[in-house]
PDB file of all heavy atoms in Angstrom:
ATOM      1  N   ASN F 703       7.595  57.528 118.391  1.00  0.00           N
ATOM      2  CA  ASN F 703       6.608  56.961 117.462  1.00  0.00           C
ATOM      3  C   ASN F 703       7.125  55.708 116.781  1.00  0.00           C
ATOM      4  O   ASN F 703       6.352  54.900 116.288  1.00  0.00           O
ATOM      5  CB  ASN F 703       6.300  57.962 116.340  1.00  0.00           C
ATOM      6  CG  ASN F 703       5.562  59.147 116.876  1.00  0.00           C
ATOM      7  OD1 ASN F 703       5.064  59.094 117.990  1.00  0.00           O
ATOM      8  ND2 ASN F 703       5.518  60.216 116.099  1.00  0.00           N
ATOM      9  N   ALA F 704       8.441  55.622 116.696  1.00  0.00           N
ATOM     10  CA  ALA F 704       9.028  54.529 115.933  1.00  0.00           C
ATOM     11  C   ALA F 704       9.318  53.319 116.796  1.00  0.00           C
ATOM     12  O   ALA F 704       9.881  52.351 116.327  1.00  0.00           O
ATOM     13  CB  ALA F 704      10.315  55.000 115.260  1.00  0.00           C
ATOM     14  N   TRP F 705       8.967  53.392 118.072  1.00  0.00           N
ATOM     15  CA  TRP F 705       9.270  52.259 118.932  1.00  0.00           C
ATOM     16  C   TRP F 705       8.229  51.172 118.762  1.00  0.00           C
ATOM     17  O   TRP F 705       7.035  51.431 118.793  1.00  0.00           O
ATOM     18  CB  TRP F 705       9.290  52.684 120.419  1.00  0.00           C
ATOM     19  CG  TRP F 705      10.359  53.680 120.756  1.00  0.00           C
ATOM     20  CD1 TRP F 705      11.162  54.345 119.878  1.00  0.00           C
ATOM     21  CD2 TRP F 705      10.700  54.150 122.052  1.00  0.00           C
ATOM     22  NE1 TRP F 705      12.002  55.193 120.535  1.00  0.00           N
ATOM     23  CE2 TRP F 705      11.741  55.100 121.888  1.00  0.00           C
ATOM     24  CE3 TRP F 705      10.240  53.871 123.344  1.00  0.00           C
ATOM     25  CZ2 TRP F 705      12.332  55.761 122.952  1.00  0.00           C
ATOM     26  CZ3 TRP F 705      10.827  54.539 124.405  1.00  0.00           C
ATOM     27  CH2 TRP F 705      11.861  55.467 124.217  1.00  0.00           C
ATOM     28  N   MET F 706       8.729  49.969 118.626  1.00  0.00           N
ATOM     29  CA  MET F 706       7.813  48.834 118.647  1.00  0.00           C
ATOM     30  C   MET F 706       7.256  48.757 120.066  1.00  0.00           C
ATOM     31  O   MET F 706       8.020  48.732 121.025  1.00  0.00           O
ATOM     32  CB  MET F 706       8.585  47.553 118.301  1.00  0.00           C
ATOM     33  CG  MET F 706       7.774  46.299 118.286  1.00  0.00           C
ATOM     34  SD  MET F 706       6.646  46.206 116.901  1.00  0.00           S
ATOM     35  CE  MET F 706       7.696  45.513 115.626  1.00  0.00           C
ATOM     36  N   PRO F 707       5.930  48.738 120.220  1.00  0.00           N
ATOM     37  CA  PRO F 707       5.366  48.811 121.582  1.00  0.00           C
ATOM     38  C   PRO F 707       5.844  47.664 122.469  1.00  0.00           C
ATOM     39  O   PRO F 707       5.941  46.523 122.020  1.00  0.00           O
ATOM     40  CB  PRO F 707       3.864  48.715 121.349  1.00  0.00           C
ATOM     41  CG  PRO F 707       3.660  49.096 119.936  1.00  0.00           C
ATOM     42  CD  PRO F 707       4.897  48.719 119.192  1.00  0.00           C
ATOM     43  N   PHE F 708       6.129  47.999 123.728  1.00  0.00           N
ATOM     44  CA  PHE F 708       6.477  46.967 124.707  1.00  0.00           C
ATOM     45  C   PHE F 708       5.216  46.201 125.077  1.00  0.00           C
ATOM     46  O   PHE F 708       4.124  46.767 125.155  1.00  0.00           O
ATOM     47  CB  PHE F 708       7.042  47.611 125.973  1.00  0.00           C
ATOM     48  CG  PHE F 708       8.466  48.037 125.834  1.00  0.00           C
ATOM     49  CD1 PHE F 708       8.815  49.379 125.868  1.00  0.00           C
ATOM     50  CD2 PHE F 708       9.470  47.093 125.679  1.00  0.00           C
ATOM     51  CE1 PHE F 708      10.141  49.772 125.734  1.00  0.00           C
ATOM     52  CE2 PHE F 708      10.792  47.474 125.556  1.00  0.00           C
ATOM     53  CZ  PHE F 708      11.127  48.823 125.578  1.00  0.00           C
ATOM     54  N   VAL F 709       5.393  44.931 125.345  1.00  0.00           N
ATOM     55  CA  VAL F 709       4.241  44.110 125.729  1.00  0.00           C
ATOM     56  C   VAL F 709       3.632  44.636 127.024  1.00  0.00           C
ATOM     57  O   VAL F 709       2.415  44.688 127.181  1.00  0.00           O
ATOM     58  CB  VAL F 709       4.657  42.632 125.856  1.00  0.00           C
ATOM     59  CG1 VAL F 709       3.581  41.828 126.576  1.00  0.00           C
ATOM     60  CG2 VAL F 709       4.893  42.040 124.472  1.00  0.00           C
ATOM     61  N   HIS F 710       4.495  45.090 127.964  1.00  0.00           N
ATOM     62  CA  HIS F 710       3.923  45.566 129.237  1.00  0.00           C
ATOM     63  C   HIS F 710       3.124  46.840 129.032  1.00  0.00           C
ATOM     64  O   HIS F 710       2.136  47.090 129.723  1.00  0.00           O
ATOM     65  CB  HIS F 710       5.007  45.720 130.315  1.00  0.00           C
ATOM     66  CG  HIS F 710       6.151  46.610 129.935  1.00  0.00           C
ATOM     67  ND1 HIS F 710       6.132  47.962 130.102  1.00  0.00           N
ATOM     68  CD2 HIS F 710       7.360  46.320 129.385  1.00  0.00           C
ATOM     69  CE1 HIS F 710       7.285  48.472 129.679  1.00  0.00           C
ATOM     70  NE2 HIS F 710       8.035  47.497 129.238  1.00  0.00           N
ATOM     71  N   ASP F 711       3.522  47.661 128.037  1.00  0.00           N
ATOM     72  CA  ASP F 711       2.734  48.867 127.747  1.00  0.00           C
ATOM     73  C   ASP F 711       1.399  48.507 127.111  1.00  0.00           C
ATOM     74  O   ASP F 711       0.358  49.070 127.451  1.00  0.00           O
ATOM     75  CB  ASP F 711       3.515  49.799 126.810  1.00  0.00           C
ATOM     76  CG  ASP F 711       4.650  50.490 127.546  1.00  0.00           C
ATOM     77  OD1 ASP F 711       4.593  50.530 128.793  1.00  0.00           O
ATOM     78  OD2 ASP F 711       5.594  50.955 126.878  1.00  0.00           O
ATOM     79  N   VAL F 712       1.463  47.546 126.172  1.00  0.00           N
ATOM     80  CA  VAL F 712       0.229  47.121 125.513  1.00  0.00           C
ATOM     81  C   VAL F 712      -0.727  46.540 126.540  1.00  0.00           C
ATOM     82  O   VAL F 712      -1.918  46.851 126.574  1.00  0.00           O
ATOM     83  CB  VAL F 712       0.537  46.079 124.413  1.00  0.00           C
ATOM     84  CG1 VAL F 712      -0.756  45.551 123.816  1.00  0.00           C
ATOM     85  CG2 VAL F 712       1.416  46.696 123.347  1.00  0.00           C
ATOM     86  N   ALA F 713      -0.171  45.697 127.426  1.00  0.00           N
ATOM     87  CA  ALA F 713      -1.000  45.076 128.454  1.00  0.00           C
ATOM     88  C   ALA F 713      -1.609  46.144 129.355  1.00  0.00           C
ATOM     89  O   ALA F 713      -2.780  46.061 129.730  1.00  0.00           O
ATOM     90  CB  ALA F 713      -0.175  44.093 129.271  1.00  0.00           C
ATOM     91  N   ALA F 714      -0.798  47.152 129.668  1.00  0.00           N
ATOM     92  CA  ALA F 714      -1.303  48.229 130.515  1.00  0.00           C
ATOM     93  C   ALA F 714      -2.477  48.913 129.838  1.00  0.00           C
ATOM     94  O   ALA F 714      -3.459  49.294 130.485  1.00  0.00           O
ATOM     95  CB  ALA F 714      -0.189  49.229 130.809  1.00  0.00           C
TER      96      ALA F 714
END
Side-chain angles (χ1 to χ4, degrees):
Chain F
N703 292 346
W705 297 9
M706 180 71 86
F708 282 114
V709 166
H710 56 86
D711 286 341
V712 175

